[in-house]
Each structure stands twice: as structure tokens, then as C-alpha cells.
Amino acid sequence: MKVAVAFDHRGVHLRDAVFEALAGHEVVDLGTDTDAVRIDYPDKAREIGEAILGGEAERGVLVCGSGVGAAVAACKLPGIRAAICHDAYSAHQGVEHDKMNVLCLGSEVVGPSLAMDLIRTFLAANFTPEERYVRRLEKIEAMERGAVAGSR
């Protein structure tokens, strides 16, 4: 699987663990690789979203200090379904039920071992196309279209 990864200056502290978990996958590295310069997480969220929407990657892993800002920013892009996950259940259920395509992690919240488990779980999961999940996804997509069009 092609997986885009991006880190802000705080998220970079999980960089080695993320790459270790992605062994065997094709990685699209959107940086950064140092905490020497402040990197704004919305910029990385946009980059990872554009990589997925543009077909350069199938899924993404986005890491900031808490994971919260990354998830908030990434979800502003229509077609990106990002969530912060700190447990394995959410990491696979988000894909299976909600077709999550970006896993957000907080480098100040999860350690390297848990981060690797979450990434592997996220990537191993597949969307379950049951009627109820498809119906809910269609409602989300309609909400995105409405937000883009400015209607309510």
C-alpha cells in the first residue's frame, strides 16, 4: 500500500517508529525530519490530504504533538476522513465503518510501540461495505458538498 506520512516539528519525535511500522509499504515522505524549525500542522494536513486526493497515496499517517490539530485540519479537506486514535479498536473500526483514510497520532500522547501497533492495525483494516456504513458515508459526503457549496 502507498502511505503518505507527514510530521510537524513535535510529531517528528515519532518519525522512526512510524517508518518502522511502514516496513513493506511504499512510503510518500512529506517531511519533516527535524524539530529545529517550527512546522505548522495545517500545512502538513493539506499536504497529506492532497497526496491522497491526488492518488499519490491510498492512506496517510499524520503526526503532531497531540494529534488533535492534525485531525481537525485534515478533516477540512473534502474526501479526507481523519481521526486521532490512541487505541487499536478505533484504528481499525475507523477504517471498517467510516472509511478513515488518515490516522492522526500525538507524539506527546502515544509512545513508539503503541504508535507502531496503531499504524499496523490501521493499514490492515478494510472498509466494510455494509448498507449502513455506505449510507452513513454518503451522508458525510453530502455534508462535504454542502459545506463546499456554502449551503446548509
Side-chain angles (χ1 to χ4, degrees):
M1 181 182 301
K2 290 175 95 174
V3 182
V5 297
F7 311 85
D8 74 359
H9 60 282
R10 289 176 59 206
V12 74
H13 300 288
L14 279 180
R15 185 176 171 82
D16 291 342
V18 169
F19 277 88
E20 186 175 335
L22 293 173
H25 295 279
E26 186 176 340
V27 178
V28 178
D29 184 359
L30 301 172
T32 190
D33 61 0
T34 179
D35 64 0
V37 176
R38 289 185 185 267
I39 303 293
D40 293 336
Y41 61 82
D43 297 333
K44 292 301 169 182
R46 178 181 299 281
E47 290 173 18
I48 210 162
E50 289 173 349
I52 292 169
L53 296 172
E56 296 171 47
E58 298 164 66
R59 294 198 193 157
V61 176
L62 180 56
V63 189
C64 71
S66 69
V68 175
V72 169
C75 284
K76 299 300 180 192
L77 299 168
I80 297 301
R81 291 168 303 280
I84 182 173
C85 296
H86 297 140
D87 61 273
Y89 176 79
S90 299
H92 74 78
Q93 186 270 342
V95 175
E96 293 167 353
H97 296 187
D98 307 307
K99 209 171 183 183
M100 177 174 72
N101 52 14
V102 177
L103 173 66
C104 297
L105 299 173
S107 66
E108 306 294 328
V109 181
V110 300
S113 179
L114 179 55
M116 290 188 294
D117 287 345
L118 296 172
I119 292 165
R120 290 177 182 133
T121 300
F122 165 68
L123 296 178
N126 293 301
F127 180 64
T128 305
E130 292 179 17
E131 185 276 331
R132 62 186 168 158
Y133 304 133
V134 171
R135 181 183 70 245
R136 293 169 186 162
L137 186 59
E138 288 170 349
K139 288 181 178 186
I140 292 169
E141 291 168 346
M143 291 169 65
E144 289 175 336
R145 286 190 302 276
V148 171
S151 64
R152 292 193 182 248

